[in-house]
Amino acid sequence: MTDVATPPMANQALARDFGLSADEYAKVLEIMGRTPTLTELGVFSVMWSEHCSYKSSRVWLRQLPTRRPWVIHGPGENAGVVDIGNGLAAIFKMESHNHPSFIEPYQGAATGVGGILRDVFTMGARPIANLNALRFGSPDNPRTKAIVDGVVRGIGGYGNCVGVPTVGGEINFHPAYDGNPLVNAMTVGVASADRIFLSAAAGIGNPVVYVGSKTGRDGIHGATMASAEFAADSEEKRPTVQVGDPFTEKLLIEACLELMATDAIVAIQDMGAAGLTSSSVEMAGKGGVGIELDLDKVPARESGMSAYEFMLSESQERMLIVLRPEREDAARAIFEKWELDFAVIGHLTDTGRIVVRHRGQIEADIPLAPLNAQAPLYHRDTIEPPKLETLNPNRMEDRFGLAAALEKLVGCPDLCSRAWVWDQYDSTVGGLTVKRPGAADAAVVKLEGQDSALALTTDCTPRYCAADPEEGAKQAVAEAWRNITAVGARPLALTDNMNFGNPEKPEIMGQFAAAIRGMAAACEALDFPVVSGNVSLYNETEGHAVLPTPAIGGLGVLDDATKAIGLALPPWLDVVLIGATKGWLGQSLWLRELAGREEGAPPPVDFAAERANGDWVRARVLDGTVRACHDVSDGGVLVALAEMAMASGVGARLFTHPRDVPGHAFWFGEDQGRYLVAVADANAFCRAAESAGITAMRIATSGGRDLTLPDGGTISVAALRATHERFFPLWMDGTG
């Protein structure tokens, strides 16, 4: 009979179970010069997982522009840091929790929020806002409703309890996400620009301190799970999903920020994916030092844990800190005051190795330099995505009419009101939210004690990316830039979350490479650098991949928060369309929802027009000429105008469209780089636009309680709003 306490022997079969290929295991043997222990094999497997090492994506990510004068820290730290003026810095990042959210929606989403919060406050920032980008399967799939319910409750439950407002996000539905929802969480924090905390360990002999919650067996090999496709047995992976405690996280935030106000910290890192392994290896590796850990001193909530379990546990709400030795007692007092565990579990050495002791035995002794420097780096085969035909709007028959099409679109799952979702989030806790969800194209959050504010958004149109990943990625960046511009803010930088299928398939890597090209081009053209991000691959179940989804989280700054505007349409103003309209129907929601077709090339992004239109609109917002602004995106001009009307209850009379574009294409086409603005004098406004080389035309006058369409039809704004608000309550609660 086998002794259950005896750990399994490391060999190629076990390495394969841990996610290491035969070549990767051979490299482990070469580095170690012997067969690794179980704990050592575990360390290599998580550090060399796709989730932690980016072994398939690193060669492509290097193309992204990451530097501008206002960027303080770009990719490579826990989060990106940008200068926002007045001695302050914004610290922000987006990260995925896709696989856990499929297995256990509530805890998967909740711990995704908790993890991204730690990435931000570990750098010295107080979190001021959360956002999210969610993709779910078809509403007709029986499982989708339960996933949506669990994910939304998880996001709300964690964010609300920890006291950070959830101020924005987006949701898409598509059958491609049936077996693999995407849950991307973003956090933004603010810190003094001269008080940014980094993760590189320094100071031989300095104590290594564990703080936060106790360690349990939850989340073991979570990073490995996130680096493989799902199969039919995915339900059996529940033990790899972590369990979060937002109340402990709140205490941890306050304790860490209090400690950061002193001079005690040398380096700090949250224990995220791969837990104690990744935090200790990354801190020591970045600092070029060694580290010794004594696992007997790690606070544990379960008895009999092995070294392997301690090192790979992904229990939540934990941090690793390198302290100045003379500040240890003061630091301990702070964490004890906040009723959090505090334990000195090791120290830094000059060996360049990680040495792990447990119960008097050395369980791991690994050289750090090759563990990091010799991590796999793959140049995987790619197949260039095919280019689709540009659809001619003149050849696309309109059998529906404007009124019927508008009602269908505003009520469809991708465009309907998200109030059922955001009403579960506390968007105003802290009292600094200027523009709440649904009020503007970007959330606006004021900076405490300042006149200025941050504008925040998440954006991506996956159906565009599926049709043409390069153009779709350009559009995702451009729309984030456009949404920030629409509230009057100056776009500064972005974080990304690259969600794709199995990178071992050339067509998937072709999508990824094309998306990176598109993002890089857009970021350069719009002066919108990438300062942080996350890559989530293997988003497949039984061979079916998600749509390529390069989610973009954008951040901008408003020097005067009072100048931020929303999309609600005021009465008795002219509505002007900024930007050229050719009636682009390829991959449009009109084509999908009305004609039942997902066809054609997506709308291209003209960077020169995008930049010129946006800069001009922003200036008119800031000088007070523009009273309301909404970018034109999904659903086209008529949907954008209807959204403005529904936001205020004010109607509008629409004018006849130009005759060189078919009516349905003009009103529902999804040409890029466009805005609807409400102004007092369209004639003067359009003359000024023309002088600046900007395409502008009056399309409506606001007033009344109805939308009067150019074909003579009339729809009450109240009826349109009822249609718009029906889907989620009816689908989720049966009350619509």
Side-chain angles (χ1 to χ4, degrees):
M1 185 173 179
T2 303
D3 182 357
V4 294
T6 302
M9 294 295 294
N11 54 38
Q12 188 165 311
L14 185 61
R16 183 175 62 249
D17 289 344
F18 283 8
L20 293 172
S21 69
D23 288 343
E24 290 167 351
Y25 182 61
K27 177 62 71 174
V28 172
L29 294 177
E30 178 185 323
I31 290 170
M32 297 299 294
R34 57 175 170 79
T35 300
T37 66
L38 175 67
T39 301
E40 289 168 340
L41 183 64
V43 169
F44 274 99
S45 70
V46 293
M47 294 307 298
W48 287 7
S49 68
E50 191 73 61
H51 188 78
C52 291
S53 73
Y54 288 12
K55 57 192 175 186
S56 298
S57 59
R58 292 203 314 272
V59 294
W60 300 103
L61 295 173
R62 293 166 183 163
Q63 298 178 26
L64 296 174
T66 60
R67 297 182 180 181
R68 285 297 187 273
W70 53 90
V71 175
I72 298 173
H73 291 289
E77 284 297 334
N78 286 293
V81 186
V82 294
D83 188 335
I84 55 174
N86 299 316
L88 298 176
I91 300 178
F92 68 110
K93 187 182 181 184
M94 182 188 285
E95 200 159 75
S96 62
H97 233 218
N98 303 335
H99 288 65
S101 298
F102 176 62
I103 297 169
E104 182 56 67
Y106 183 94
Q107 289 296 348
T111 52
V113 173
I116 196 63
L117 280 164
R118 289 192 298 281
D119 277 340
V120 168
F121 76 74
T122 192
M123 297 191 71
R126 176 169 292 281
I128 65 166
N130 289 330
L131 298 92
N132 52 72
L134 311 176
R135 323 288 169 182
F136 299 112
S138 169
D140 296 330
N141 185 310
R143 177 108 193 246
T144 301
K145 184 189 296 187
I147 294 174
V148 171
D149 176 64
V151 165
V152 171
R153 285 190 298 107
I155 291 170
Y158 204 101
N160 296 353
C161 290
V162 85
V164 178
T166 300
V167 298
E170 56 174 346
I171 297 175
N172 293 124
F173 293 91
H174 194 279
Y177 302 107
D178 278 347
N180 205 128
L182 302 183
V183 177
N184 297 168
M186 176 177 168
T187 292
V188 181
V190 175
S192 294
D194 60 354
R195 294 285 290 171
I196 308 299
F197 290 81
L198 306 180
S199 56
I204 305 306
N206 278 347
V208 176
V209 176
Y210 172 116
V211 300
S213 290
K214 290 178 169 59
T215 295
R217 291 185 170 93
D218 51 321
I220 292 173
H221 261 301
T224 306
M225 177 191 71
S227 304
E229 291 185 35
F230 274 147
D233 65 349
S234 60
E235 291 290 334
E236 299 174 10
K237 297 181 184 291
R238 283 183 185 272
T240 63
V241 178
Q242 311 92 327
V243 177
D245 180 353
F247 298 104
T248 298
E249 181 104 340
K250 174 61 174 173
L251 299 178
L252 189 59
I253 292 173
E254 299 305 329
C256 286
L257 292 178
E258 183 174 337
L259 183 62
M260 287 166 170
T262 73
D263 62 349
I265 296 175
V266 175
I268 183 168
Q269 175 81 29
D270 81 292
M271 294 189 214
L276 188 53
T277 290
S278 63
S279 55
S280 58
V281 167
E282 290 173 6
M283 290 177 79
K286 287 179 181 178
V289 297
I291 188 168
E292 286 199 12
L293 302 176
D294 183 350
L295 301 183
D296 295 339
K297 297 180 179 178
V298 173
R301 70 166 183 262
E302 299 183 47
S303 61
M305 289 184 64
S306 67
Y308 169 84
E309 291 171 328
F310 272 117
M311 292 301 290
L312 271 69
S313 168
E314 294 185 8
S315 295
Q316 298 292 286
E317 294 87 39
R318 303 180 299 160
M319 310 285 279
L320 199 64
I321 305 174
V322 176
L323 288 177
R324 302 185 194 283
E326 70 277 8
R327 306 297 290 155
E328 183 182 317
D329 290 342
R332 184 189 303 274
I334 290 172
F335 282 89
E336 288 180 350
K337 182 185 78 172
W338 290 100
E339 298 182 344
L340 295 167
D341 278 293
F342 178 102
V344 178
I345 66 168
H347 61 276
L348 300 184
T349 70
D350 61 0
T351 64
R353 305 178 73 88
I354 178 171
V355 177
V356 178
R357 301 178 189 275
H358 185 47
R359 298 172 184 163
Q361 302 293 319
I362 294 178
E363 295 285 352
D365 185 352
I366 304 172
L368 287 167
L371 176 61
N372 291 309
Q374 296 184 40
L377 179 62
Y378 293 125
H379 295 73
R380 297 198 185 275
D381 292 340
T382 61
I383 294 177
E384 191 69 18
K387 294 293 185 181
L388 301 183
E389 176 187 3
T390 298
L391 301 186
N392 184 343
N394 292 295
R395 297 179 181 175
M396 306 185 72
E397 181 184 0
D398 176 20
R399 297 181 287 105
F400 316 102
L402 297 184
L406 178 60
E407 290 187 87
K408 173 75 171 176
L409 286 170
V410 300
C412 77
D414 270 8
L415 286 178
C416 70
S417 169
R418 270 71 174 126
W420 182 91
V421 175
W422 71 57
D423 282 350
Q424 298 185 53
Y425 304 153
D426 190 336
S427 61
T428 60
V429 61
L432 298 174
T433 306
V434 176
K435 296 296 181 185
R436 299 173 59 183
D441 284 2
V444 179
V445 180
K446 193 174 184 296
L447 301 178
E448 189 170 11
Q450 305 286 323
D451 294 331
S452 54
L454 297 180
L456 311 167
T457 185
T458 61
D459 293 286
C460 185
T461 309
R463 66 182 187 278
Y464 291 175
C465 299
D468 187 329
E470 185 169 357
E471 283 298 330
K474 289 179 184 177
Q475 190 273 341
V477 173
E479 186 170 359
W481 189 90
R482 198 183 310 139
N483 281 331
I484 291 168
T485 292
V487 299
R490 183 173 70 258
L492 288 182
L494 64 86
T495 182
D496 63 59
N497 209 139
M498 308 296 288
N499 306 273
F500 289 77
N502 185 342
E504 297 166 44
K505 298 178 179 179
E507 62 273 21
I508 299 297
M509 280 313 297
Q511 292 175 345
F512 187 89
I516 291 291
R517 286 199 308 270
M519 284 179 58
C523 291
E524 286 287 1
L526 299 174
D527 274 331
F528 203 30
V530 179
V531 297
S532 61
N534 172 247
V535 176
S536 176
L537 301 177
Y538 293 97
N539 288 291
E540 297 199 12
T541 297
E542 298 184 30
H544 299 288
V546 300
L547 302 183
T549 310
I552 302 299
L555 178 144
V557 66
L558 269 156
D559 296 328
D560 182 350
T562 65
K563 292 184 179 294
I565 66 169
L567 58 85
L569 185 63
W572 319 123
L573 294 177
D574 291 330
V575 181
V576 175
L577 172 62
I578 299 292
T581 299
K582 297 180 180 179
W584 197 284
L585 290 175
Q587 298 301 326
S588 67
L589 282 182
W590 181 89
L591 187 66
R592 189 181 83 185
E593 297 294 326
L594 275 297
R597 296 155 56 188
E598 294 185 67
E599 297 176 10
V605 177
D606 180 333
F607 293 134
E610 190 78 56
R611 186 69 184 262
N613 293 350
D615 288 346
W616 198 79
V617 166
R618 186 185 312 107
R620 304 291 80 74
V621 170
L622 295 177
D623 71 14
T625 304
V626 170
R627 301 271 300 281
C629 183
H630 190 19
D631 87 305
V632 179
S633 54
D634 283 347
V637 172
L638 191 50
V639 166
L641 183 57
E643 289 170 342
M644 296 177 77
M646 289 186 290
S648 64
V650 173
R653 178 171 60 89
L654 283 73
F655 304 129
T656 303
H657 66 279
R659 292 304 178 189
D660 58 341
V661 180
H664 59 293
F666 179 86
W667 294 110
F668 299 113
E670 297 180 6
D671 306 73
Q672 297 297 295
R674 298 183 298 164
Y675 303 79
L676 288 184
V677 296
V679 299
D681 184 346
N683 290 331
F685 186 84
C686 290
R687 284 196 302 271
E690 183 180 357
S691 297
I694 303 297
T695 300
M697 64 176 295
R698 185 175 69 145
I699 65 161
T701 298
S702 65
R705 292 290 180 264
D706 300 326
L707 287 182
T708 302
L709 304 176
D711 61 4
T714 299
I715 308 175
S716 79
V717 174
L720 205 58
R721 183 185 284 163
T723 299
H724 185 56
E725 295 175 349
R726 184 175 300 134
F727 172 76
F728 269 103
L730 182 63
W731 182 52
M732 298 302 298
D733 305 325
T735 59

